[in-house]
Amino acid sequence: MFEDDSKWQQGEMLSNDEVATLLQQRAGTGQAMRNFKLKSCNLENINLVNRHSKHGHRLIDSDLYRANMRGAHCFMLDLSGSSLMKADFTGANLHCANLSDCNLLGTKFHDAKLENVNWGNKVIQEEQADQSQNQEEKLDLYEQAEEIYRHLRKVFENQGLFENAGYFFEREMVVRRKQMPKYSTKRLISKIVDLFCGYGEQPIRVVVFSSITILGFATLYFFSGVNFSGEEVAFNSSLSAKANTLAYLESIYFSIVTFTTLGYGDITPTGLSRLFAAIEALMGSFTLALFVVVFVKKMTR
């Protein structure tokens, strides 16, 4: 019965009341199901779990537009490349499913089990927009991507899966930025926030930025010089490598206490180092406050 998939690929079986049963039987053959036309099919409570196997069934590059997948059992099911536009997966089990490169516009995932789903790095609309040369098309695709990310974020928030919700919030903000005029102030500020903290979802970026800032200013102090107990601490080509290394370590120490605004007073800036110290203290105050906000946001979810 299943040697020829042409009737599935041409949509000839969509009017068959037993389409769910027949599809389950076709999946049971273990062969990949590709380019199946299942538009508007009623597949409620269908079981597509490949039991006693480390790999799920493959229903790839297929059309499930407006398909009813409510309560479907899709554990480890590979749906990559398929159109799931406006499909209804309410209450479905999608644990470990592969939804990469799927069209997820309008797809319903309310109360679905979505742990360890492979969503891919980006939704297909964002990938297409990045490659498009038509500005109007790009904006439309970015808007679609933003809608998808927003929906997924809300779904995961409702399920208490805040790590996943945070990821989709970050992607939502990225595509929103891409819709802004290329050289606008808003887009620049948005990009800076992304680089600093991933829109509040990447506290490690704040730590990396702080470390780079401290080392950068330490290098500036090393060459411009600071005062320690009446003696200048700075790079001096006439000194040994050990002495210059110690001087650089002293510069790092001064940079740390300046960045954190501790200001013990044992080392003081001189000359141009005063300007550097003032700038670093301002950056440090802002960065430490930002880190607290981002860290608390992540920990209190």
Side-chain angles (χ1 to χ4, degrees):
M1 180 185 298
F2 303 114
E3 292 181 359
D4 183 10
D5 283 338
S6 61
K7 49 190 173 181
W8 290 95
Q9 295 167 350
Q10 296 171 11
E12 295 179 10
M13 302 189 65
L14 299 186
S15 61
N16 194 323
D17 293 336
E18 297 180 340
V19 62
T21 301
L22 293 172
L23 185 61
Q24 288 177 164
Q25 293 175 3
R26 172 61 179 81
T29 66
Q31 298 178 358
M33 298 168 281
R34 184 186 297 272
N35 296 321
F36 278 23
K37 305 300 181 183
L38 300 168
K39 180 179 178 180
S40 301
C41 278
N42 182 11
L43 302 175
E44 187 171 1
N45 295 318
I46 190 172
N47 189 339
L48 294 175
V49 179
N50 191 6
R51 298 188 181 279
H52 311 299
S53 174
K54 295 182 179 179
H55 306 284
H57 291 306
R58 302 186 69 199
L59 181 59
I60 57 179
D61 301 325
S62 298
D63 183 6
L64 284 87
Y65 174 75
R66 288 189 179 276
N68 178 9
M69 300 288 291
R70 297 173 68 92
H73 302 278
C74 304
F75 178 73
M76 292 184 68
L77 179 63
D78 186 355
L79 286 162
S80 58
S82 297
S83 174
L84 307 180
M85 186 175 178
K86 297 187 179 181
D88 189 355
F89 283 90
T90 299
N93 180 2
L94 287 163
H95 282 316
C96 303
N98 183 3
L99 302 184
S100 60
D101 296 323
C102 288
N103 185 349
L104 301 174
L105 185 64
T107 310
K108 299 177 183 178
F109 292 109
H110 302 296
D111 298 321
K113 298 178 181 179
L114 300 170
E115 287 88 345
N116 300 313
V117 171
N118 176 13
W119 302 97
N121 295 325
K122 302 177 183 178
V123 295
I124 191 170
Q125 282 85 349
E126 185 181 357
E127 292 179 348
Q128 291 172 347
D130 289 340
Q131 297 171 6
S132 176
Q133 301 299 317
N134 185 298
Q135 187 62 25
E136 185 175 341
E137 181 184 43
K138 286 172 71 77
L139 290 176
D140 180 58
L141 289 168
Y142 281 138
E143 287 179 5
Q144 293 180 33
E146 183 181 357
E147 181 181 336
I148 294 169
Y149 288 136
R150 184 184 301 111
H151 174 66
L152 290 173
R153 170 177 61 83
K154 290 179 179 179
V155 168
F156 280 112
E157 285 176 347
N158 291 335
Q159 294 187 12
L161 300 173
F162 296 112
E163 192 70 27
N164 300 89
Y167 170 76
F168 286 114
F169 170 74
E170 187 177 354
R171 295 309 313 165
E172 177 187 349
M173 297 304 292
V174 168
V175 294
R176 183 180 299 178
R177 183 185 75 232
K178 291 179 179 180
Q179 297 174 58
M180 300 175 184
K182 193 169 185 179
Y183 299 105
S184 65
T185 303
K186 283 187 176 180
R187 180 161 180 164
L188 176 61
I189 293 174
S190 180
K191 181 64 176 179
I192 291 173
V193 174
D194 186 15
L195 290 174
F196 277 1
C197 61
Y199 297 105
E201 299 299 329
Q202 301 287 343
I204 189 64
R205 292 188 186 181
V206 184
V207 175
V208 171
F209 172 75
S210 300
S211 301
I212 293 174
T213 301
I214 288 171
L215 292 176
F217 276 97
T219 303
L220 293 176
Y221 299 138
F222 180 55
F223 287 102
S224 60
V226 292
N227 186 283
F228 178 47
S229 299
E231 296 183 2
E232 184 181 47
V233 177
F235 171 75
N236 190 331
S237 58
S238 63
L239 297 178
S240 65
K242 180 179 179 180
N244 279 314
T245 299
L246 291 174
Y248 187 66
L249 293 176
E250 293 284 1
S251 298
I252 292 177
Y253 163 76
F254 177 69
S255 183
I256 292 173
V257 298
T258 302
F259 185 84
T260 56
T261 66
L262 291 173
Y264 290 126
D266 49 346
I267 299 180
T268 56
T270 60
L272 193 58
S273 292
R274 293 181 178 180
L275 175 61
F276 298 148
I279 295 173
E280 183 179 18
L282 289 172
M283 293 179 64
S285 299
F286 170 79
T287 304
L288 292 174
L290 177 64
F291 177 76
V292 171
V293 171
V294 174
F295 184 77
V296 170
K297 177 184 177 183
K298 293 289 286 186
M299 293 297 105
T300 56
R301 279 179 164 174

